[in-house]
Amino acid sequence: MLTLLRRLPSLPALLLALAFVAAPMGARADVDATAPAPTPAQTLQQLSTQLNTVKSALNTQPGKLDSAALNDLRARAMQVQAGAKAVADSLAPQMSTLQAQLTVLGPAPAKGAPPEAPEVAAQRRQLDKAQTNLNAQIVQAKSLGLDALQSVEQISGLLSDQFQARLAERADTPLGHAFWADQARSLPGDMPRIQRFATNWAQGLSDAWQPPNRTPLLLCVAAAVLLLAGGRRGLQHLWQFVATRWLPDGHLRRSAMAAVMALSTTLVIGVAAKLVHLGINWNDTLDTDLDQLATSTMRAVIISSLMAGLGSALLSAKRASWRLLPLSDIAAQRLRWHPWLLGGVALLTGLTEHIVRSIGSSLPATVLLHALLALLISGLVGSMLLRLRRARYEADAAAGNKTRRPLWVGMLSFAAALSVVLCWLSVCTGFIALGFFVAVQMLWTGLVVASFYLLIQLVRDLFETLLSPQGRSGQHLQAGFDISSETLEQASTVLTGVTRVLLALVALSMVLARFDAGPAELAQRTSQLFSGLKLGQLPISPGTILGAIAVFVLGLVALRALKNWLRDQLLPTTSMDAGMRDSVVTLLGYLGGVFVFALALAAMNVSLQSIAWIASALSVGIGFGLQQIVSNFFCGLILLVERPVKVGDWVSLSSDVEGDIRRINVRATEIQLWDRSTLIVPNSQLIAQTVRNVTHGSAQGRVRIMLPMPLDTDADRARQIMMEALKGHPSTLGTPAPVVRLDKIDASSMTFSITSYVRSPRDVTAVKSDMLFDILARLRTANLPLSTPTSMVVRNLGPLPPLGEDSPAAPSQPG
């Protein structure tokens, strides 16, 4: 349990900070606010002295330091490392300023050149001296940080060796006589320590009950009891009221309620423990050792309450609709008390560890307590697994079929069962340290996994709610930034996935931490997990990645807003046609995208050398597999700049491919055919092949009609009627003038050729149809029919008679 306290610094610190609000206003600060801040040189000197103290302790007595002393030394060395890094970071802007001032002055005059002005020379000497001193301090800070890091690694190695040695130690088995004989021999020596410990606590409580301290003690205890009685329920009811009014319906309410239940349990019990501690030690009635033990106990209470709160929130035995875990109601009811039992065992483990260290109990007594705690923890976990298995069988029997469990549930159950068996075997065979480690590791892993599961559920529901196209925030994003619903859903999925990966890495780092890892060690492990990545010579860190993503997203949003403003407001007021306006907006999108990408690279501290390295790496892929893509991209730029075809043009690539250009993209052009389907044509094909642009250069449309009429038709009258029909149509242009010609005369008809021009080729079909209807009506009124095609009638006369036979007799004629 002591390990759990060391591993979870953030939440206890938050709860303790909240609990200190209840402390009296008479608390005094130890640091004078008016004292001047130390200079960087003074800070480096203090850090160097602190690091020398750590090194001296390591060199003088390396084999006599226990894990607690080594953890303290490691924490101090890590403070030195953090302080040195802070000093170096604070001096970097000053160095940049001095370098900029020297750049303004320019290089010093060469030998033999005319000297510079005395004022400039004096300023140059002053800046050079300041730069030299500042550079020396930066080098000293970096060297001090590196030296501190080496000390941290040395201490971590010593702790690892001690930890492995403890795990490999084998005591007498509890099943043998020797184990209990050692307990009997050590008991007389442990009893005085226990009595002295009880006497000290009795004296401390007696001092706290004295009249000067009794009233504050009673008030603090009463406040703690009231807080425990109704604080948790009150916070949960308050959150239900807030969620009902402000949160939309959906899964977010459920996951947020689970988080509030866990935090409210931890907060209420933690603040109550702080109030009790405050009442007992109101006027510093406890000595240093007792106060340290009380503080450690309060932290153990916080960790235990977090375990209980998380378990209860995830199970939600009373309300199935709030349950996050994939469990049946039977399983939740069977396990409803196990989170509190595990929290109580965790509290008992923490108290035992602190009391054992405080009174300095004998080794046999410590081994016995560790064995009992290991068996108790593993027994509770085993009981939980058995209850869960029976509940699953009952639920399957009631449903009539076997329910399949998720893979991660089966893996966790198997790991827990294996740990229980290993713990019992270790204790029974005498490897009690190993069994105790496995038991505590089960508690710690369960806490991390429960927290991770709750966080990923909360993050998923949060992103789904905020970026839902049907939600209020999603609709605001669509209206304000012109974002499609598909983009919102994709962003929700990507953000959820990225957050899950980051949380999984943090959880894995915390689970795999060493047994004696403290908060600083965990923070260092997590920082090293993300800060040691490199892409070639480019260092990658979470801060720079998040900054680059923020710059890229904000840049794209600003670019989209600029494109919308140009497309909808500025360009429509100019004399540009629609195709030219679309080309300008598309080109701006390309250039703006390149500029935003360059800004994102700059935010990641990518130098020109790194860009050249990335470009050289990509050139191999471009040379082998991206030739067509690059060719299509540059052909797309040519189409946008030279504009042989533009958006809205009617183009024809072959007899089967003819339609309107709807969009010119980076790689291909979209052509809408007459059947309303879309043809995707690579840009290189529009540049390299022959393309007929029907509407290029504001081309006019020609209407041509061929009308055959009989040979006896009055040609002049027919020509006059056709010309009146042409001139009567509103789409016919005056220039070029419409023409009616007699095209040809054959054996059965004469053919008139009718030609007129309209404003656009797109109007030809409709105008031709209108003219045909009008001309036919006029000709019918004037009784001038069109010629009909020559018909050939074939009559079947039956079979002919055979040769050599007489023909039938002719009918007789009257005489």
Side-chain angles (χ1 to χ4, degrees), residues 171-252:
D172 295 326
T173 173
L175 303 178
H177 174 73
F179 179 84
W180 299 105
D182 290 339
Q183 301 297 328
R185 285 192 296 268
S186 63
L187 183 59
D190 289 332
M191 288 304 299
R193 299 187 182 97
I194 297 175
Q195 292 175 357
R196 185 166 55 252
F197 174 76
T199 301
N200 292 337
W201 265 107
Q203 182 63 37
L205 294 177
S206 176
D207 294 339
W209 187 250
Q210 297 303 317
N213 306 320
R214 184 180 303 172
T215 301
L217 174 61
L218 292 176
L219 291 176
C220 289
V221 172
V225 171
L226 291 177
L227 191 60
L228 291 173
R232 181 167 171 263
R233 186 181 301 273
L235 288 176
Q236 293 177 8
H237 284 312
L238 177 62
W239 173 251
Q240 291 180 18
F241 173 76
V242 173
T244 304
R245 294 195 58 182
W246 299 102
L247 286 184
D249 294 334
H251 292 166
L252 182 60

Side-chain angles (χ1 to χ4, degrees), residues 722-735:
M722 296 177 188
M723 186 62 69
E724 290 175 354
L726 292 179
K727 293 182 178 180
H729 197 283
S731 297
T732 302
L733 298 179
T735 304

Side-chain angles (χ1 to χ4, degrees), residues 128-188:
D128 288 337
K129 182 179 179 181
Q131 187 182 30
T132 302
N133 295 334
L134 197 59
N135 186 56
Q137 291 181 354
I138 293 177
V139 172
Q140 181 184 0
K142 292 182 178 180
S143 176
L144 188 62
L146 182 60
D147 200 3
L149 179 60
Q150 293 175 354
S151 299
V152 170
E153 293 177 352
Q154 179 184 359
I155 298 172
S156 299
L158 294 175
L159 282 170
S160 179
D161 294 340
Q162 288 187 4
F163 171 67
Q164 294 177 5
R166 286 200 305 270
L167 291 185
E169 289 179 354
R170 182 178 182 182
D172 295 326
T173 173
L175 303 178
H177 174 73
F179 179 84
W180 299 105
D182 290 339
Q183 301 297 328
R185 285 192 296 268
S186 63
L187 183 59

